[in-house]
């Protein structure tokens, strides 16, 4: 689910180019899409996903708009979690 890219998946969600979104002090705009609706998630085969995410299809980056608690720490991306484990 952290490998979404423009060649494999359609662009779905709210394009943040016109209305950037800030998460944890970082602003996401050009190249990022906000997955919010169930139809967005269904289009990507993510029906079981309950939280809302910002996705960059070119880099495959997935950012949670809600904090992810893991082993007593708080994260917003899977890469942050992976880096913490190293």
């Amino acid at each position: 689910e952290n490998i979404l890219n423009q060649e494999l998946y359609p662009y779905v969600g709210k394009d943040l180019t016109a209305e950037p979104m800030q998460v944890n002090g970082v602003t996401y705009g050009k190249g990022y899409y906000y997955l919010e609706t169930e139809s967005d998630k269904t289009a990507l085969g993510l029906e079981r996903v309950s939280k809302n995410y910002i996705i960059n299809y070119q880099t495959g980056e997935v950012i949670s708009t809600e904090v992810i608690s893991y082993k007593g720490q708080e994260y917003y991306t899977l890469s942050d979690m992976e880096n913490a484990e190293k």
Side-chain angles (χ1 to χ4, degrees):
E1 293 168 357
N2 194 32
I3 313 174
L4 299 175
N5 67 62
Q6 60 185 350
E7 295 176 8
L8 298 176
Y9 295 96
Y11 287 100
V12 298
K14 178 179 178 183
D15 186 347
L16 297 179
T17 300
E19 192 177 335
M21 189 172 192
Q22 194 174 77
V23 173
N24 197 31
V26 179
T27 301
Y28 298 94
K30 184 176 180 181
Y32 290 89
Y33 291 78
Y34 177 43
L35 288 187
E36 179 180 25
T37 68
E38 290 307 311
S39 61
D40 291 343
K41 295 172 186 175
T42 299
L44 298 173
L46 302 176
E47 295 89 344
R48 69 188 184 284
V49 173
S50 59
K51 294 185 179 182
N52 297 335
Y53 295 89
I54 297 172
I55 293 178
N56 184 311
Y57 285 80
Q58 294 177 325
T59 65
E61 185 178 19
V62 178
I63 301 116
S64 175
T65 60
E66 303 168 46
V67 69
I68 301 168
S69 295
Y70 179 70
K71 292 189 177 180
Q73 298 293 317
E74 296 182 343
Y75 304 94
Y76 287 89
T77 68
L78 292 177
S79 59
D80 287 344
M81 290 172 67
E82 290 169 358
N83 291 334
E85 287 292 300
K86 293 178 182 176

